[in-house]
Amino acid sequence: MAMGIALVTGGTSGIGAAFAQELALRGNDLVLVARDRERLDSTAATLRGMGRSVETIAADLANRDDVARVAARLEDLDQPIDILINNAGFGIRGSLIDVDTTELDRGIEVMCRTVLVLSGAAARGMRVRGSGHIVNVSSTAGFLTMGGYSAIKAWVTSFTESLAVELKGTGISVTALCPGWVRTEFHQRAGIQSGSIPSALWLDSERLVKVCLDDVDKGKVISIPTVRYRALMFLLRHAPRSAVRAVSGALSSGRRKQAVSG
Ligand SMILES: NC(=O)c1ccc[n+]([C@@H]2O[C@H](COP(=O)([O-])OP(=O)(O)OC[C@H]3O[C@@H](n4cnc5c(N)ncnc54)[C@H](OP(=O)(O)O)[C@@H]3O)[C@@H](O)[C@H]2O)c1
């Protein structure tokens, strides 16, 4: 894996914080992007304590002016970014037919448009240098049909594969990380009840990130950490779409019942 400066969106919590930590351990300097200024400062202080140089950019990635500032940092050829981790994101619970589409609009801005803009900004500089890595954090939910979040993450995986095709032969690796359930602030922030999820299906963000970075080294375009999830996703990806919809419907209705009783 190329060494240098890594820019991690959502690098202050959960999976993004684990990426920042692991990349620092592997000798990279960092640029962290998130909204909460205090958390950016405290995460940066921890990473500086590991001997790394750390910049922070306070930005709301649902705001297009803020996204343009981050894109400008990625295009700064004087301090080139070698690794981009498009990780910032959140759960979406609303119905697809809600009149108020605010939550979905924000989801599409942060998890689709921002991923598109920042990937392009990073890739233009990396192509000139003939090296670099782009990791887009997608989800196994993208292989299912469970509402707006599934649709958004299906786009992230498909976009990443398309980008990998477009950038083949340029020296840039492109990887979609598709995690299952990971213990982070994600579920609590979205108000998602996760009590009924079997403990065997929970992943630990540190381990997840190590597997992903090893997959990047191997040139994998889709990284699905753990054998258990790889087996489940193999079945889903080879099942008839009608079966995928049936499984998605059963999982969604189980979640709705739990929300009513919980
Ligand atoms: N946890 C899971 O089970 C799971 C499974 C599959 C995929 N994922 C994906 O993994 C990624 C990371 O999620 P996580 O589980 O680590 O969640 P998390 O612990 O809630 O962390 C989310 C991070 O994203 C940042 N963020 C959120 N909205 C933002 C915005 N509008 N602008 C800038 N930064 C923003 C947050 O910082 P601020 O609040 O300070 O902005 C925080 O650093 C997401 O893309 C998620 O969809 C998670």
Side-chain angles (χ1 to χ4, degrees):
M1 185 161 202
M3 298 282 286
I5 308 177
L7 186 147
V8 185
T9 70
T12 54
S13 170
I15 296 168
F19 265 115
Q21 174 94 12
E22 183 61 27
L23 287 164
L25 278 173
R26 294 182 184 208
N28 297 280
D29 293 326
L30 287 145
V31 182
L32 304 177
V33 181
R35 290 166 301 181
D36 185 327
R37 165 54 65 198
E38 267 180 38
R39 277 188 93 169
L40 276 169
D41 289 345
S42 66
T43 311
T46 306
L47 296 168
R48 284 184 194 120
M50 295 166 66
R52 305 270 67 94
S53 153
V54 185
E55 289 170 55
T56 57
I57 304 177
D60 179 352
L61 297 175
N63 175 311
R64 293 187 178 195
D65 291 338
D66 283 11
V67 174
R69 276 196 295 122
V70 180
R73 174 63 190 88
L74 282 162
E75 298 210 64
D76 179 354
L77 298 180
D78 293 334
Q79 304 164 283
I81 302 289
D82 304 284
I83 303 165
L84 167 65
I85 313 283
N86 271 314
N87 160 80
F90 48 87
I92 292 172
R93 288 202 312 161
S95 155
L96 288 170
I97 61 168
D98 282 345
V99 173
D100 182 357
T101 60
T102 310
E103 190 190 24
L104 261 176
D105 289 341
R106 281 185 68 78
I108 290 166
E109 287 292 324
V110 175
M111 293 182 272
C112 297
R113 185 181 180 278
T114 295
V115 170
L116 170 81
V117 172
L118 299 189
S119 295
R124 285 189 287 277
M126 290 173 182
R127 190 173 50 186
V128 172
R129 296 189 296 280
S131 69
H133 305 284
I134 297 174
V135 175
N136 294 329
V137 180
S138 188
S139 172
T140 50
F143 299 121
L144 290 157
T145 51
M146 295 174 65
Y149 184 73
S150 277
I152 283 170
K153 291 302 190 181
W155 182 89
V156 175
T157 304
S158 179
F159 165 75
T160 307
E161 287 194 271
S162 300
L163 188 65
V165 169
E166 193 168 322
L167 296 179
K168 194 171 166 54
T170 61
I172 306 169
S173 77
V174 186
T175 305
L177 167 61
C178 300
W181 282 292
V182 191
R183 288 190 202 284
T184 67
E185 296 173 16
F186 176 94
H187 304 92
Q188 193 195 347
R189 283 193 201 222
I192 295 169
Q193 306 281 333
S194 53
S196 64
I197 298 164
S199 56
L201 287 180
W202 282 105
L203 301 169
D204 155 78
S205 52
E206 284 75 24
R207 182 160 165 241
L208 176 87
V209 158
K210 282 191 181 114
V211 174
C212 175
L213 293 176
D214 290 347
D215 283 347
V216 170
D217 280 336
K218 289 177 197 152
K220 285 197 186 178
V221 174
I222 296 190
S223 170
I224 304 176
T226 82
V227 172
R228 189 169 283 138
Y229 273 106
R230 267 196 294 283
L232 286 171
M233 292 312 118
F234 179 87
L235 293 176
L236 267 184
R237 291 164 83 189
H238 292 83
R241 293 304 294 173
S242 56
V244 173
R245 290 192 294 275
V247 170
S248 301
L251 285 170
S252 299
S253 82
R255 201 178 266 179
R256 272 194 298 274
K257 274 185 204 142
Q258 206 194 7
V260 170
S261 62

